[in-house]
């Protein structure tokens, strides 16, 4: 089988940030990288799960909700994929900037975290989600479209 495109980027030079991973027609896939690859600690599964719930809830309640396809974790636990349709890159960056800030400051019940709404509702960590999201706030603070290109 062929090696898929996301395995072809150089993970040795990748640092935390936001990158344009793929373009499939009008669908953009962004790589929201929290952790430099192969440098632990990785995102803990419980905190990662809570970030998924909070960021997905934020973007799907935003003014751009109709352009949101997906937000979810990478299996390597170094980041997330964010898929959009019909949004500019500047809007996608801005949404992620807002969503990580929202997560970093979130208080209250985790949305969707009940047995009927979630596949593993006990595996959440709001304090951890806040802590990891807070690390991404300065990374995205002045992020530009030019920075969406993966490092060589
Ligand atoms: Zn869940």
């Amino acid at each position: 089988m062929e090696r898929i495109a996301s395995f072809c980027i150089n993970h040795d030079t990748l640092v935390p940030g936001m990158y344009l991973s793929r373009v499939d027609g009008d669908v953009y896939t962004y790589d929201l990288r929290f952790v430099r690859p192969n440098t632990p600690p990785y995102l803990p599964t419980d905190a990662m799960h809570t970030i998924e719930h909070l960021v997905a809830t934020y973007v799907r309640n935003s003014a751009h909700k109709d352009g949101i396809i997906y937000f979810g974790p990478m299996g390597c636990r170094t980041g997330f994929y964010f898929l959009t349709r019909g949004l500019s890159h500047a809007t996608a960056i801005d949404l992620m900037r807002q969503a990580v800030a929202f997560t970093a400051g979130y208080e209250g019940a985790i949305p969707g975290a009940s047995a009927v709404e979630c596949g593993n509702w006990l595996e959440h960590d709001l304090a951890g989600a806040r802590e990891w999201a807070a690390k991404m706030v300065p990374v995205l603070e002045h992020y530009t479209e030019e920075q969406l290109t993966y490092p060589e």
Side-chain angles (χ1 to χ4, degrees):
M1 288 190 281
E2 287 180 33
R3 192 167 70 141
I4 65 174
S6 61
F7 299 158
C8 296
I9 63 158
N10 185 354
H11 285 78
D12 278 344
T13 57
L14 199 50
V15 292
M18 182 170 171
Y19 304 98
L20 180 62
S21 172
R22 299 180 59 93
V23 178
D24 299 282
D26 58 354
V27 175
Y28 292 150
T29 298
Y30 298 96
D31 169 333
L32 187 68
R33 194 69 63 153
F34 276 55
V35 177
R36 183 176 184 146
N38 302 301
T39 58
Y42 303 105
L43 282 154
T45 51
D46 48 8
M48 190 169 211
H49 186 192
T50 304
I51 293 170
E52 180 198 20
H53 277 230
L54 287 170
V55 171
T57 297
Y58 184 87
V59 296
R60 291 190 186 282
N61 280 279
S62 72
H64 303 289
K65 60 185 177 187
D66 293 340
I68 307 302
I69 306 294
Y70 174 75
F71 180 83
M74 295 176 182
C76 58
R77 295 192 284 116
T78 64
F80 297 83
Y81 284 116
F82 178 45
L83 278 71
T84 65
R85 178 189 284 138
L87 304 186
S88 70
H89 293 319
T91 298
I93 292 169
D94 206 40
L95 259 181
M96 283 297 103
R97 186 185 292 126
Q98 293 170 29
V100 296
F102 169 78
T103 302
Y106 189 79
E107 290 175 1
I110 299 164
S114 69
V116 78
E117 296 168 300
C118 173
N120 191 356
W121 74 285
L122 292 174
E123 193 173 81
H124 277 283
D125 175 13
L126 179 57
R130 289 174 52 137
E131 188 181 310
W132 281 89
K135 296 181 192 189
M136 286 303 282
V137 170
V139 173
L140 295 182
E141 192 177 1
H142 301 294
Y143 219 77
T144 64
E145 289 180 49
E146 290 69 35
Q147 291 174 277
L148 291 175
T149 304
Y150 279 119
E152 291 292 311

